[in-house]
Amino acid sequence: MSSEVRSLAVVEGVLERITYANEENGYTVARVDIGRGSGDLLTVVGSLLGAQPGESLRMEGRWGSHPQYGRQFTVENYTTVLPATIQGIRRYLGSGLIKGIGPVFADRITTHFGLDTLTILEESPQRLIEVPGLGPKRTGNIAAAWEEQKAIKEVMVFLQGVGVSTSIAVRIYKKYGDASISVVKNQPYRLAADVWGIGFLTADRLAQAVGIPHDSPDRVKAGLQYALSQSTDQGHCFLPEERLISDAVKLLQVDTGLVIECLGELAGDPEGVVREKVPGPEGLPVNGIYLVPFHRAELSLAGQLRRLLAADEDRLAAFRDVAWDKALAWLADRTGASLAPEQEQAVRLALTRKVAVLTGGPGCGKSFTVRSIVELARAKRAKVVLAAPTGRAAKRLAELTGAEASTVHRLLELKPGGDAAYDRDRPLDADLVVVDEASMLDLLLANKLVKAVAPGAHLLLVGDVDQLPSVGAGEVLADLLAPGGPVPAVRLTRIFRQAQQSGVVTNAHRINEGLPPVTHGLPDFFLFAEEETEDAARVAVEVAARRIPARFGLDPRRDIQVLAPMHRGPAGAGTLNGLLQQVITPARPDLPEKRFGGRVFRVGDKVTQIRNNYEKGANGVFNGTVGVVTSLDPVEQRLVVRTDEDEEVPYAFDELDELAHAYAVTIHRSQGSEYPAVVIPVTTSAWMMLQRNLLYTAVTRARKLVVLVGSRKAIAQAVRTVSAGRRFTALAYRLTGDSVV
């Protein structure tokens, strides 16, 4: 008999703590007490999906040793065993497993019920009220949490075989409840549409595990919709039919004929996809394939903009025959400065045309122009509403104009599900709507916004079209500025003398013109040259966490932002976050923390929301919202984040995959935000991402100070590489109303 077929060893013990867990594949490193409370801890590794500290485990696996960590046990499978001693029960209940029971109540409950505790929880949970300090409300919550935990365990056990992470299993249970196992077995592709965090690939793995054929039409249709969904994540509103078919064949590994057949069926389904002839990237007609919501939004946005432009009514009619010389003289007296000719043109345009765009780079006076427009509108008693896509940008707009400004989401009062309280039937009560940082507006949000502008009201979109386009699908600002379109626009190009003193402003314009930034002799723009990526990461952390705070007196959490070209890699945002957290918010034995997957959350952590969640906060919490963790409660299993908009938002521990650390973020995620100082690692390891508009966007996020860390070769690559190819969008074509030949 070969040594490979040895029988598995069995180890029993109490799971003390999880030191590492990969949410993607369930791989876990944990410490288990096998000495019945004597403190003799064993390191175990392997898939411990769903196991919680405090649980008694019966593990099957193999003994081995690790050169660094010594003797350890590799788990191949495990079962949970309810603890049989009072001490074990107390530990089990006090581990944070059941929401509402921490160590204090675990002690009281086990003191009162002894070895019968688990039976009471199972059969007579109403008796918990006998325990001192447990009122009816907490008793009810504990009973419900116990039941949910049991039900989730069943789903966990079922999903363990197909390697689904703990947080996903919890979400499946929350979505489908008792029907979870039935849905996974019979309709696994529903999960990709219904449950956030489950894409087609996870659903496909599950489908394979439950025996759904490789060439099932359900699989092919789900794969086509997934390929389209992936393309919207990359910014496209549609894909040309030929490209979608080739993407799907590659993804699904099935015959082209089957993909074409299934695409035809999807195009015939009102809730499937939409096929329409539109101009392709070279202007030649292509069959564009849209997911239904994106097609509706593109048609709607173009239609609403054309309607606003053509409206007979004018809520700023006072500016039709205003004496502009007098008005501008009054304005100069009020603001203490005169407008340059192109700024003057922008002011007139915003106040006399129903829809207008103001664009330009840093230092060209966009902000002063906006302030001037708002001052004049207010002087005529107009109702002015100000908004921006992010909390930080809204705060800046409010400071600039002295008027209240909000995020677009709050302005529209988005409700659970994503519908807006304000829309075409109930428009905003505003004569002038000004939206700053409009390059961030994606197709879906722009559509919601424009729908809410009343006929006759004026809409002014302000932004820098040379920045990266929106994170979401579309490039709305660029489409509105396309040649031959109906929306009037002014582009500010003159850099004001005061701004010319700024290295940040002058280098931003140099980069935009394809010239390398000046990195010597400036008080506000520096380069730390580091050829090796790991060295660049180390120096970026040192600069952000120690050197800038020491020299410029800036707060590393509030005032300094590290901006990385990509998330992955040794100088990517993921790695940098781990390094920065160790320096800025290190572990302390007296402070609670929560490990979730590969991340640890602590009070004081700077975090960002990574999905739109319409159920959270007053009007939803959106992808890119940044905040600081203000409290963390292991008993109630939740932490609270104070966002940039000064809203306290609670997160249950099973929702923590919606949060990521934000000491470092990707440049894409920083759009619309401005910081006193930014630190930008630019290394050759991010070669594919290094493009001019990426570096330009990063530099223009800084108000006072930019520090580049990395290689001159990588910076030169970024400066000379112009982003290849526009996104697939037909908004500009729909605005002109031309037909496709």
Side-chain angles (χ1 to χ4, degrees):
M1 189 173 85
S2 79
S3 60
E4 288 299 307
V5 199
R6 288 175 305 186
S7 61
L8 296 176
V10 175
V11 169
E12 291 192 2
V14 175
L15 181 56
E16 280 292 319
R17 63 177 178 273
I18 292 171
T19 53
Y20 171 80
N22 183 321
E23 280 291 312
E24 296 299 312
N25 58 22
Y27 178 80
T28 305
V29 179
R31 300 281 279 162
V32 172
D33 182 351
I34 56 170
R36 308 200 183 284
S38 67
D40 181 12
L41 297 185
L42 166 71
T43 299
V44 298
V45 298
S47 180
L48 286 170
L49 183 68
Q52 301 279 355
E55 287 186 317
S56 296
L57 306 181
R58 185 176 190 280
M59 299 164 289
E60 292 183 318
R62 304 185 191 283
W63 289 101
S65 70
H66 185 279
Q68 190 176 344
Y69 303 112
R71 188 166 180 253
Q72 63 181 34
F73 189 74
T74 301
V75 180
E76 304 222 346
N77 53 68
Y78 80 94
T79 53
T80 56
V81 184
L82 289 176
T85 65
I86 288 178
Q87 184 193 6
I89 294 168
R90 186 180 295 129
R91 199 112 125 278
Y92 176 61
L93 290 181
S95 67
L97 173 75
I98 306 300
K99 196 172 179 178
I101 305 182
V104 172
F105 278 116
D107 194 41
R108 284 191 204 168
I109 293 167
T110 48
T111 300
H112 190 81
F113 293 117
L115 288 172
D116 294 332
T117 297
L118 299 181
T119 311
I120 297 286
L121 271 168
E122 183 69 38
E123 295 170 8
S124 317
Q126 67 280 5
R127 286 192 56 197
L128 289 170
I129 203 160
E130 298 170 16
V131 177
L134 279 184
K137 188 178 176 190
R138 191 184 280 266
T139 298
N141 289 346
I142 290 170
W146 177 261
E147 280 303 310
E148 183 174 86
Q149 188 60 37
K150 269 188 358 199
I152 289 172
K153 266 281 183 281
E154 272 181 52
V155 178
M156 292 281 190
V157 168
F158 172 72
L159 293 175
Q160 195 168 355
V162 283
V164 176
S165 74
T166 314
S167 59
I168 297 289
V170 169
R171 255 203 230 108
I172 291 172
Y173 176 76
K174 285 196 167 169
K175 179 74 184 172
Y176 304 115
D178 294 341
S180 298
I181 291 173
S182 165
V183 170
V184 171
K185 276 184 176 169
N186 302 313
Q187 301 167 282
Y189 292 107
R190 260 183 73 185
L191 301 174
D194 291 353
V195 182
W196 181 75
I198 297 190
F200 171 79
L201 300 177
T202 304
D204 200 34
R205 201 167 71 232
L206 283 164
Q208 200 178 344
V210 297
I212 287 175
H214 189 68
D215 58 358
S216 153
D218 282 349
R219 176 175 184 264
V220 176
K221 287 178 191 173
L224 279 160
Q225 288 182 308
Y226 169 71
L228 274 179
S229 172
Q230 286 289 94
S231 75
T232 65
D233 287 347
Q234 289 153 15
H236 301 301
C237 298
F238 69 86
L239 277 185
E241 185 169 17
E242 287 178 10
R243 174 155 160 190
L244 174 60
I245 290 166
S246 73
D247 285 358
V249 167
K250 211 179 293 177
L251 169 75
L252 298 164
Q253 301 289 299
V254 294
D255 290 345
T256 307
L258 178 60
V259 171
I260 292 169
E261 191 182 316
C262 289
L263 180 56
E265 286 179 30
L266 271 177
D269 176 353
E271 294 303 312
V273 299
V274 176
R275 181 194 270 137
E276 186 188 353
K277 203 170 271 307
V278 290
E282 308 301 319
L284 299 169
V286 297
N287 276 332
I289 309 293
Y290 287 82
L291 288 171
V292 172
F294 293 90
H295 185 258
R296 282 186 191 144
E298 200 172 79
L299 280 176
S300 166
L301 177 56
Q304 295 288 349
L305 284 166
R306 299 225 307 249
R307 261 191 292 277
L308 286 178
L309 284 162
D312 292 330
E313 192 186 338
D314 189 350
R315 292 178 65 155
L316 291 179
F319 288 98
R320 278 186 191 163
D321 47 13
V322 79
W324 281 104
D325 290 350
K326 280 186 183 172
L328 293 169
W330 173 87
L331 184 66
D333 188 48
R334 185 157 171 92
T335 59
S338 296
L339 293 165
E342 56 188 16
Q343 290 178 307
E344 197 177 302
Q345 185 194 350
V347 169
R348 288 184 181 218
L349 200 64
L351 296 171
T352 58
R353 301 293 292 271
K354 308 287 175 36
V355 183
V357 172
L358 171 61
T359 188
C364 294
K366 282 200 307 293
S367 297
F368 184 67
T369 308
V370 170
R371 185 182 152 200
S372 302
I373 291 163
V374 172
E375 290 278 4
L376 279 172
R378 280 217 202 105
K380 294 288 188 186
R381 305 235 184 299
K383 287 180 182 165
V384 181
V385 164
L386 305 169
T390 66
R392 273 181 182 249
K395 271 185 180 171
R396 198 173 67 240
L397 189 57
E399 286 161 10
L400 164 75
T401 56
E404 200 177 309
S406 69
T407 62
V408 176
H409 303 98
R410 269 182 195 275
L411 174 68
L412 300 178
E413 290 180 18
L414 293 188
K415 297 177 291 199
D419 291 330
Y422 292 96
D423 55 19
R424 204 170 161 189
D425 299 326
R426 187 197 173 198
L428 294 162
D429 181 18
D431 305 318
L432 170 64
V433 178
V434 179
V435 182
D436 199 7
E437 293 289 355
S439 62
M440 285 187 71
L441 286 177
D442 61 36
L443 174 65
L444 299 182
L445 185 59
N447 177 45
K448 286 186 170 85
L449 170 71
V450 175
K451 255 193 221 174
V453 179
H458 289 221
L459 172 65
L460 174 65
L461 298 172
V462 183
D464 184 346
V465 76
D466 293 322
Q467 285 180 26
L468 289 166
S470 55
V471 174
E475 41 188 359
V476 173
L477 193 65
D479 283 341
L480 296 188
L481 289 166
V487 178
V490 171
R491 182 171 192 140
L492 303 179
T493 54
R494 178 185 149 199
I495 306 174
F496 285 88
R497 192 165 60 239
Q498 190 182 350
Q500 287 171 4
Q501 318 300 313
S502 159
V504 175
V505 170
T506 51
N507 274 332
H509 286 277
R510 283 181 67 85
I511 291 164
N512 209 23
E513 289 157 17
L515 300 168
V518 175
T519 55
H520 290 293
L522 294 171
D524 60 351
F525 202 103
F526 301 91
L527 167 65
F528 286 83
E530 295 290 346
E531 291 305 316
E532 296 300 321
T533 302
E534 283 82 356
D535 292 339
R538 180 179 48 74
V539 171
V541 169
E542 172 71 17
V543 165
R546 296 207 171 95
R547 293 198 196 185
I548 294 176
R551 181 164 168 191
F552 294 94
L554 296 176
D555 182 301
R557 200 182 281 110
R558 188 185 61 243
D559 301 328
I560 303 164
Q561 186 62 57
V562 177
L563 300 177
M566 43 200 291
H567 183 76
R568 296 176 189 277
T575 302
L576 290 169
N577 266 316
L579 297 170
L580 285 159
Q581 186 194 33
Q582 284 172 27
V583 181
I584 297 169
T585 320
R588 280 180 31 198
D590 55 326
L591 283 184
E593 57 180 44
K594 173 61 184 170
R595 181 172 292 280
F596 189 93
R599 299 195 281 272
V600 178
F601 291 97
R602 301 183 183 122
V603 172
D605 270 342
K606 184 176 178 181
V607 292
T608 180
Q609 172 82 8
I610 57 173
R611 68 172 284 227
N612 288 345
N613 186 335
Y614 297 98
E615 318 292 327
K616 281 204 155 306
N619 298 114
V621 180
F622 298 91
N623 189 353
T625 299
V626 174
V628 173
V629 177
T630 54
S631 69
L632 194 153
D633 186 337
V635 175
E636 291 302 320
Q637 297 182 23
R638 68 173 206 163
L639 58 75
V640 175
V641 174
R642 185 173 199 82
T643 71
D644 266 353
E645 295 173 67
D646 293 327
E647 183 179 10
E648 298 269 344
V649 180
Y651 287 79
F653 282 174
D654 60 15
E655 297 174 314
L656 293 183
D657 51 354
E658 295 190 19
L659 286 178
H661 289 100
Y663 300 102
V665 297
T666 62
I667 296 166
H668 279 87
R669 294 190 67 81
S670 73
Q671 288 168 256
S673 292
E674 199 180 67
Y675 315 92
V678 300
V679 178
I680 311 164
V682 187
T683 66
T684 50
S685 67
W687 197 255
M688 298 304 292
M689 295 294 293
L690 297 178
Q691 293 175 349
R692 186 180 300 169
N693 61 352
L694 189 85
L695 186 57
Y696 174 74
T697 300
V699 167
T700 55
R701 297 310 85 217
R703 254 198 323 268
K704 298 176 184 167
L705 176 68
V706 170
V707 180
L708 301 178
V709 182
S711 73
R712 287 191 171 82
K713 182 182 176 187
I715 293 165
Q717 164 73 2
V719 168
R720 73 171 165 261
T721 307
V722 178
S723 172
R726 292 277 306 270
R727 294 175 166 192
F728 293 120
T729 148
L731 178 62
Y733 147 72
R734 295 186 197 284
L735 282 169
T736 58
D738 296 339
S739 58
V740 180
V741 181

